[in-house]
């Protein structure tokens, strides 16, 4: 429900991108995207990093480079 409200807000505000960490919402949106005809793209953090040219986005590579709690 929260992501649906955030999507509506992004649509109303004419934003380009909505960042979500909810994979179920992301999957549901992508399944229905053609029907919604929205200009807003719903992305997960990894996709956003790739679009911005930031990397590495591989969580395993990041964990190897910056091991937690020495």
């Amino acid at each position: 429900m929260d992501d649906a409200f955030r999507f509506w807000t992004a649509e109303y505000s004419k934003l380009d991108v909505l960042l979500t960490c909810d994979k179920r919402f992301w999957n549901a949106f992508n399944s229905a995207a053609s029907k919604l005809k929205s200009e807003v793209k719903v992305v997960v953090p990894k996709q956003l990093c790739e679009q911005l040219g930031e990397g590495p986005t591989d969580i395993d590579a990041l964990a190897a480079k910056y091991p937690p709690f020495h």
Side-chain angles (χ1 to χ4, degrees), residues 21-29:
C21 291
D22 186 342
K23 282 283 207 174
R24 289 186 315 184
F25 175 75
W26 180 76
N27 287 331
F29 177 82

Side-chain angles (χ1 to χ4, degrees), residues 10-39:
E11 182 76 24
Y12 183 80
S13 301
K14 299 183 184 349
L15 299 180
D16 296 324
V17 175
L18 172 65
L19 181 64
T20 185
C21 291
D22 186 342
K23 282 283 207 174
R24 289 186 315 184
F25 175 75
W26 180 76
N27 287 331
F29 177 82
N30 285 328
S31 294
S34 62
K35 294 176 188 171
L36 294 174
K37 298 182 183 356
S38 174
E39 297 293 321

Side-chain angles (χ1 to χ4, degrees), residues 2-67:
D2 290 339
D3 277 326
F5 177 75
R6 289 183 184 106
F7 174 73
W8 175 83
T9 303
E11 182 76 24
Y12 183 80
S13 301
K14 299 183 184 349
L15 299 180
D16 296 324
V17 175
L18 172 65
L19 181 64
T20 185
C21 291
D22 186 342
K23 282 283 207 174
R24 289 186 315 184
F25 175 75
W26 180 76
N27 287 331
F29 177 82
N30 285 328
S31 294
S34 62
K35 294 176 188 171
L36 294 174
K37 298 182 183 356
S38 174
E39 297 293 321
V40 177
K41 293 180 182 172
V42 177
V43 298
V44 293
K46 183 175 180 176
Q47 289 176 312
L48 182 61
C49 288
E50 290 169 356
Q51 289 178 8
L52 296 175
E54 298 294 322
T57 56
D58 181 14
I59 193 67
D60 294 325
L62 285 172
K65 187 174 181 178
Y66 302 104

